[in-house]
Amino acid sequence: MNLAFVRARLPLAALALFVFAAPTRAQTAAPVSPAPPRAYDFYGRGPYRRNIPRPAAVLGYEAGATHSTFRDQERVILAIAAAAKDRVRVIEYGKSVEGRPLRLVLVSAPENIARLETIRQEIGKLADPRLLASQAEGERLCQTTPVITWINHCIHGDESASFETVLQTLYTLAASEAPAITETLQKSVVILNPVFNPDGHERFAVYYNSVAVGSPEPFAYDQRQPWAISGRFNHYRFDMNRDKLMLSQPESQMETAAFLQWHPQVFADQHGQPENYFFPPNSLPSNRNVDRARINKWTDIFGRANGAAFDRYGWQYVTRETFDFFYPGYLDTWTSLSGAIGMTYETDGGGNLARRRNDDTISTLRDAISHHYETALSTIVTAAKRHDELLRDYLAYRRGALAPPPANSANAPNSATTASATSEKMRRVVILPGADPGRLKELATLLLREGVEVRELKTAFSSNRAWNYMAAGDKMRAAQTQTFAPGALVVDMAQPQGHVARAVLEPDPDFEPEFVREQYARRVRNEKRNENEPKEGYDFYDTTAWALPYAFGLDAYWTEDAPPVEGRLLRLDAQGRADATGAVGGIAGGRASVAYVFRYDSDGAAFLALRLLQEDYKLAVATKPVRLGGRDWPRGALIARVVRNPETLHARLAQLAGETGVSVTAINSGYSDESPVGLGSENVVSLRKPGVAVIADDSVSQTGFGAIWHLFEREVGLKFTPLRLASLRANTLARFNVIVLPEGYGYAGALGKTGLDALKQWIGAGGVLIGLGSGGQWFTDKDAALTSAIPVGSDVKDDEKDAKKDDGKPEARKPDGSPAVPPKPKKPLRLPGAIFRAQIDPTHFLGFGYEKGEIAVPLEGATFLKPSKMGANPVTFGPGPSRLSGFAWPDNTEALLANTAYVVDEPIGEGHALLYLNDPTFRASWPGLRRLFLSGILFGPTSAILAPARRAEE
């Protein structure tokens, strides 16, 4: 080992970790102070096979000396695999966005490696019990088939200890001849995913290695990553440990497909870096669909084994704290829903070479690697020891998905809540195509990628116990009889992946009652504290609502009955898309002599219009219903006049219509029959070509920027320019007519008065400023004055503090823990993420195509908006109740949300400041709101779009 190399990268305290490798002599001199603890030895599970190279022999440095790059890791993995062919197989299952290979490394005993495909098929039978010939066959497979244990590494690229750990774990499994290891490999197949997020890790590692000196101080330069460098996220800056719900990223899609090929029984996901190591059992809440009793049993088994391993070294760890098990977008929750025992392991180090703990001790990257290494091996060995029991429980869980849970079972929900009662009764979900069959096909694709069986209805059927998703909450009165037409999607809960299906489709997931009571109790205690007293935090780790029918904006019903239906089981085609009927795009009526027209009621229509404008074709929009070609077209219809476009329009429009799935109609006469609104009407307004910039800066959320980037580049095909805030000056602004502000903070301060004045002048001249979430909420600041909307409670000093002091008497409470006589709310309490019903104005350009006038929207945070008094409020909340799904604070949320605005359009001169209270691009998880966002870009720059109404007022 080159100690000079190591010394250049590590502080002296960390360098001591490597001294153990040097030989020592017996000491005969006078007694000295006790020696420091011996450094952890990664090679204490011998004897080892001599032909298998150690990682350090390939790399030239010991574990933790530096951050290995992707190619470093690849060299070690391939070298070990080549030397240990009897135990190791490497499978490439895809490529990252930037083209790096994604691999699985399978390790097992030679006899198992020789029959991997047979083992995969046998596990497949346990995963789908319908394939078993008998109960006896299932029991035989549980006794004879190796258990599958999957260890996942580096989904967050700068949580670097897991990236390094896989090298030590693989070497031990491939080389050790210790009985504990060889017996484990006989009973199991271990799957190592070396790096889920290679692009993020490479971005981090290359930068970090270029500046690292190994200082543990929190203020050291190499303890912070620049905005564009941060390695936590993938190429598009998505947090992929939140992407299991939507599978928006290629890495997530391909890893999920590989998971569903192997159906592991244990899945451990390695992360970092809290103060102390975390492993399950988890904190509350937990998703009821994972079978809480099963997960509690097994996380306790693995937790005790991990604890025993740590106790041998005196290492610190924590369980049942912080990390919950509720949102199905996490890897651990989703894999558990699929039948594995999914667990998150958070190591206390990594992301740097060394760091100073709260008690001034030093934690090194090597420490963090050793801790992950111990839990990985402990998990693998424990799974093999409990082989038969794990497989039996797995089979029982998958078999249980084929039938609904019995009432009052250990897995049954708390029937005292509406959400629980709904989920328990839900047998089937039917999703209607509506006006956007393309979006329906997109949802079908997602469900198939999740492993959920989906059928496309061939003939109509009726349900006698159907419930409309949008009739939830206050509108949920009684089940109705509903007939469903061909083309709808049918998802039965009784299927092997039924727990996943229920989790992602159920309208309103439930919490454990004890969890909710604790949050209410904290609220009560907080309300009694004075203004400057510290308040207790709440235990919501992530969003509490996500039902896919709401997210996709599609009409859907869940039914209590499941009569037989005639439907076609859908499959993924060669492009990885559902082979559903979907939208068929193209031109009807041949070559137009006057114009082409298409409706603006689908995402594809927005994509098509933006791509045409981007390529300098001329489009117009009907701001009122229009009559063309003997047909009535709704407001928002888009028109391409032949005479105002080049000859290439005909062929290019046909091509793009096919790609976007939009039906375009050729018009050969401009005569509008009896309608006053025709092709030449002033209500048919020519659109301006959008020139789009998106702010990308230190004050901007990386995931917020990334979601916009992904939408524009991967879905719309819209070119844009990333800009720094400091660039928003008059000469730069003149190059764009749309500027998007992602989620962020400190916009007003960063712009300063000069920048803000220039921005207002630009808007007045016809620019469109679009603020998403916190990227728009600052419009309400007095210094910004970009809207007349104001936050609810912005003039209240105390946060719902009751003026009445505690008199020592117990306060009367309802059974759920909320106050019997609640105080009148003044400010919204922070929402962790829920879904609400909102009204949308279809006459406003942001509402074009939303003819029903009602949509589901996500709401997170503590900001509600009183409507603009000077501008328009195209999306609002009614008098309520409006909650559809997720957690809301009783006696607060609904009372303060009533009659507020969700989207505000503040006209400034010839332009617009558009404020979206929450980001519609968030995690690519709200396809139903894509068009609401894109309409601001498509129509906003056209100042004349509302000119007829303005002239009428004059």
Side-chain angles (χ1 to χ4, degrees):
M1 178 176 58
N2 186 340
L3 287 179
F5 171 82
V6 175
R7 192 174 293 115
R9 296 178 182 273
L10 284 178
L12 292 176
L15 181 59
L17 292 170
F18 302 102
V19 175
F20 76 91
T24 59
R25 297 180 183 177
Q27 299 294 320
T28 57
V32 295
S33 299
R38 185 178 176 87
Y40 181 82
D41 183 4
F42 285 103
Y43 304 110
R45 287 178 168 85
Y48 297 96
R49 300 194 290 176
R50 291 179 174 274
N51 64 310
I52 313 299
R54 291 186 175 188
V58 178
L59 296 173
Y61 55 86
E62 294 287 348
T66 187
H67 285 95
S68 303
T69 66
F70 177 80
R71 294 304 177 194
D72 291 334
Q73 186 197 70
E74 181 181 61
R75 285 192 297 124
V76 174
I77 289 171
L78 296 183
I80 292 176
K85 292 180 180 178
D86 59 332
R87 290 192 191 181
V88 182
R89 287 287 183 275
V90 178
I91 299 173
E92 185 172 322
Y93 66 89
K95 292 187 183 298
S96 69
V97 174
E98 296 175 11
R100 295 182 177 88
L102 301 172
R103 298 183 175 96
L104 298 180
V105 184
L106 280 64
V107 192
S108 191
E111 60 269 25
N112 294 330
I113 290 293
R115 64 182 197 99
L116 278 177
E117 181 57 25
T118 300
I119 292 171
R120 192 182 69 81
Q121 292 176 6
E122 290 172 345
I123 290 291
K125 287 185 177 183
L126 299 179
D128 186 354
R130 298 170 301 185
L131 301 175
L132 293 170
S134 64
Q135 291 277 110
E137 184 185 16
E139 176 58 25
R140 178 182 63 79
L141 292 178
C142 288
Q143 295 178 20
T144 60
T145 306
V147 69
I148 310 292
T149 300
W150 183 306
I151 311 292
N152 190 68
H153 305 80
C154 206
I155 191 169
H156 293 148
D158 56 0
E159 293 175 359
S160 54
S162 68
F163 184 89
E164 308 293 339
T165 302
V166 69
L167 305 181
Q168 306 303 322
T169 305
L170 174 59
Y171 172 76
T172 299
L173 296 176
S176 175
E177 295 283 19
I181 298 299
T182 57
E183 291 170 10
T184 291
L185 294 180
Q186 289 167 2
K187 295 182 178 181
S188 63
V189 173
V190 179
I191 299 180
L192 305 175
N193 185 355
V195 52
F196 194 119
N197 177 14
D199 297 347
H201 180 270
E202 195 74 352
R203 194 167 60 241
F204 157 77
V206 171
Y207 167 79
Y208 189 93
N209 287 344
S210 73
V211 299
V213 298
S215 171
E217 305 303 334
F219 44 77
Y221 183 81
D222 54 347
Q223 296 275 348
R224 294 289 182 269
Q225 303 166 46
W227 185 85
I229 296 298
S230 180
R232 177 180 177 88
F233 313 114
N234 80 330
H235 173 83
Y236 284 110
R237 275 49 176 191
F238 272 65
D239 184 339
M240 291 191 294
N241 197 33
R242 306 295 186 277
D243 195 42
K244 274 291 187 176
L245 178 66
M246 299 305 295
L247 297 181
S248 68
Q249 301 303 291
E251 295 93 340
S252 301
Q253 294 168 17
M254 292 180 286
E255 187 270 352
T256 301
F259 177 96
L260 292 172
Q261 282 189 319
W262 288 98
H263 297 290
Q265 286 68 61
V266 180
F267 185 99
D269 189 24
Q270 293 188 345
H271 287 261
Q273 298 92 216
E275 179 74 7
N276 289 311
Y277 198 105
F278 169 86
F279 48 75
N282 302 284
S283 69
L284 295 180
S286 58
N287 193 298
R288 67 168 294 267
N289 295 290
V290 301
D291 184 348
R292 289 166 178 163
R294 179 180 69 101
I295 288 298
N296 289 342
K297 166 190 170 181
W298 282 103
T299 54
D300 184 64
I301 289 171
F302 285 109
R304 289 181 184 278
N306 291 333
F310 272 43
D311 291 343
R312 285 197 297 271
Y313 298 96
W315 295 341
Q316 302 299 292
Y317 56 91
V318 65
T319 65
R320 306 181 193 276
E321 188 175 277
T322 304
F323 301 101
D324 75 353
F325 208 64
F326 194 64
Y327 178 55
Y330 307 141
L331 263 68
D332 57 0
T333 310
W334 187 89
T335 55
S336 295
L337 287 165
S338 296
I341 305 303
M343 296 177 287
T344 290
Y345 292 168
E346 300 266 354
T347 194
D348 45 343
N352 41 54
L353 292 177
R355 66 173 183 171
R356 191 176 296 280
R357 297 189 185 99
N358 291 338
D359 64 358
D360 250 8
T361 58
I362 303 298
S363 169
T364 67
L365 175 59
R366 185 181 176 93
D367 293 333
I369 297 168
S370 66
H371 299 169
H372 262 335
Y373 172 72
E374 281 293 331
T375 56
L377 290 180
S378 170
T379 300
I380 292 165
V381 171
T382 302
K385 287 180 178 178
R386 309 293 289 255
H387 168 279
D388 294 17
E389 189 180 0
L390 261 173
L391 286 169
R392 287 192 188 103
D393 279 8
Y394 177 80
L395 174 58
Y397 178 78
R398 298 289 291 190
R399 187 175 275 145
L402 298 175
N408 302 318
S409 72
N411 190 38
N414 172 22
S415 58
T417 67
T418 301
S420 300
T422 295
S423 185
E424 186 171 345
K425 294 177 181 177
M426 189 169 75
R427 298 290 179 267
R428 171 178 286 166
V429 172
V430 184
I431 308 163
L432 311 184
D436 198 344
R439 201 185 294 160
L440 185 75
K441 182 172 182 175
E442 186 179 351
L443 175 54
T445 298
L446 172 58
L447 290 170
L448 292 177
R449 287 174 176 168
E450 302 268 13
V452 174
E453 294 176 355
V454 183
R455 284 177 290 171
E456 186 177 73
L457 197 59
K458 281 189 174 183
T459 59
F461 84 97
S462 294
S463 167
N464 295 322
R465 300 286 297 171
W467 299 81
N468 189 329
Y469 272 70
M470 289 299 288
D474 64 308
K475 292 189 176 182
M476 184 181 288
R477 302 300 182 204
Q480 62 190 75
T481 298
Q482 183 72 29
T483 299
F484 300 104
L489 297 183
V490 176
V491 183
D492 286 321
M493 300 301 102
Q495 58 168 295
Q497 198 75 334
H499 297 295
V500 170
R502 188 180 298 273
V504 301
L505 294 173
E506 65 182 344
D508 198 4
D510 77 316
F511 296 91
E512 293 94 340
E514 61 270 29
F515 172 81
V516 177
R517 283 196 298 269
E518 174 59 22
Q519 309 319 304
Y520 289 161
R522 293 185 186 188
R523 174 185 172 183
V524 170
R525 295 193 293 268
N526 283 338
E527 288 169 353
K528 292 180 178 179
R529 287 179 166 91
N530 289 319
E531 184 175 0
N532 292 331
E533 281 189 272
K535 305 291 176 67
E536 291 183 72
Y538 300 105
D539 286 331
F540 301 101
Y541 195 81
D542 210 283
T543 185
T544 66
W546 50 78
L548 295 181
Y550 293 135
F552 277 78
L554 294 166
D555 290 337
Y557 293 78
W558 63 270
T559 70
E560 296 182 41
D561 54 359
V565 297
E566 185 180 354
R568 180 173 63 90
L569 198 62
L570 298 181
R571 297 280 187 263
L572 293 173
D573 61 20
Q575 287 72 45
R577 305 282 180 180
D579 60 352
T581 301
V584 180
I587 295 176
R591 184 184 176 93
S593 59
V594 174
Y596 294 99
V597 62
F598 54 97
R599 296 170 63 97
Y600 188 69
D601 55 3
S602 67
D603 291 349
F607 301 169
L608 173 58
L610 286 166
R611 291 177 68 179
L612 285 169
L613 288 172
Q614 182 176 258
E615 296 179 21
D616 291 320
Y617 292 100
K618 307 300 181 183
L619 280 181
V621 61
T623 61
K624 290 185 176 181
V626 62
R627 181 127 181 125
L628 292 172
R631 286 176 54 187
D632 292 322
W633 298 83
R635 63 173 51 85
L638 291 155
I639 300 162
R641 299 180 176 99
V642 171
V643 71
R644 299 189 184 182
N645 278 291
E647 179 65 22
T648 56
L649 172 68
H650 305 283
R652 185 59 174 150
L653 180 57
Q655 180 183 356
L656 290 177
E659 292 176 4
T660 55
V662 176
S663 177
V664 179
T665 300
I667 304 296
N668 294 311
S669 173
Y671 195 71
S672 59
D673 298 333
E674 67 278 6
S675 172
V677 182
L679 191 60
S681 168
E682 66 176 1
N683 293 292
V684 176
V685 179
S686 296
L687 296 175
R688 292 179 64 194
K689 175 183 177 180
V692 183
V694 180
I695 299 303
D697 213 334
D698 288 344
S699 58
V700 170
S701 159
Q702 288 193 59
T703 56
F705 172 80
I708 297 167
W709 180 12
H710 180 264
L711 173 65
F712 287 172
E713 186 168 284
R714 295 292 289 242
E715 299 183 61
V716 184
L718 178 67
K719 296 179 181 178
F720 72 99
T721 299
L723 281 183
R724 291 184 177 274
L725 267 174
S727 300
L728 294 186
R729 297 296 183 263
N731 60 335
T732 306
L733 288 168
R735 294 177 176 270
F736 307 97
N737 55 24
V738 177
I739 294 176
V740 181
L741 305 178
E743 288 269 8
Y745 59 92
Y747 278 109
L751 283 167
K753 186 177 185 306
T754 301
L756 195 55
D757 288 344
L759 197 59
K760 289 180 179 179
Q761 291 177 7
W762 171 80
I763 299 172
V768 180
L769 184 67
I770 300 177
L772 306 183
S774 56
Q777 291 170 15
W778 70 275
F779 292 4
T780 66
D781 295 349
K782 290 182 180 179
D783 292 340
L786 286 168
T787 178
S788 57
I790 62 171
V792 172
S794 57
D795 56 346
V796 177
K797 292 183 179 180
D798 294 337
D799 186 7
E800 271 201 322
K801 184 167 169 277
D802 194 342
K804 179 183 175 183
K805 292 292 183 180
D806 187 357
D807 57 7
K809 296 180 180 179
E811 186 175 7
R813 315 296 296 176
K814 295 178 183 178
D816 65 2
S818 59
V821 182
K824 184 178 180 180
K826 298 175 183 179
K827 285 185 177 181
L829 288 169
R830 177 170 293 278
L831 286 173
I835 300 173
F836 294 83
R837 184 191 301 108
Q839 285 70 53
I840 185 166
D841 180 2
T843 68
H844 188 277
F845 65 84
L846 291 181
F848 286 170
Y850 291 95
E851 294 300 318
K852 290 186 177 180
E854 188 175 72
I855 56 173
V857 300
L859 189 58
E860 181 272 336
T863 300
F864 301 167
L865 292 176
K866 293 183 179 180
S868 169
K869 295 180 179 179
M870 305 294 291
N873 301 284
V875 185
T876 56
F877 298 104
S882 301
R883 191 194 72 88
L884 292 169
S885 180
F887 182 88
W889 290 104
D891 311 313
N892 180 275
T893 301
E894 293 278 20
L896 295 174
L897 187 64
N899 303 309
T900 62
Y902 190 72
V903 178
V904 172
D905 168 21
E906 202 72 52
I908 299 175
E910 295 295 312
H912 302 268
L914 302 179
L915 192 171
Y916 294 75
L917 184 58
N918 277 187
D919 180 2
T921 71
F922 176 69
R923 294 181 183 167
S925 61
W926 279 88
L929 299 182
R930 278 187 302 220
R931 191 154 37 91
L932 180 66
F933 169 51
L934 294 175
S935 292
I937 298 170
L938 179 60
F939 301 125
T942 303
S943 59
I945 200 163
L946 299 179
R950 290 173 182 165
R951 281 198 289 272
E953 292 170 0
E954 293 170 358

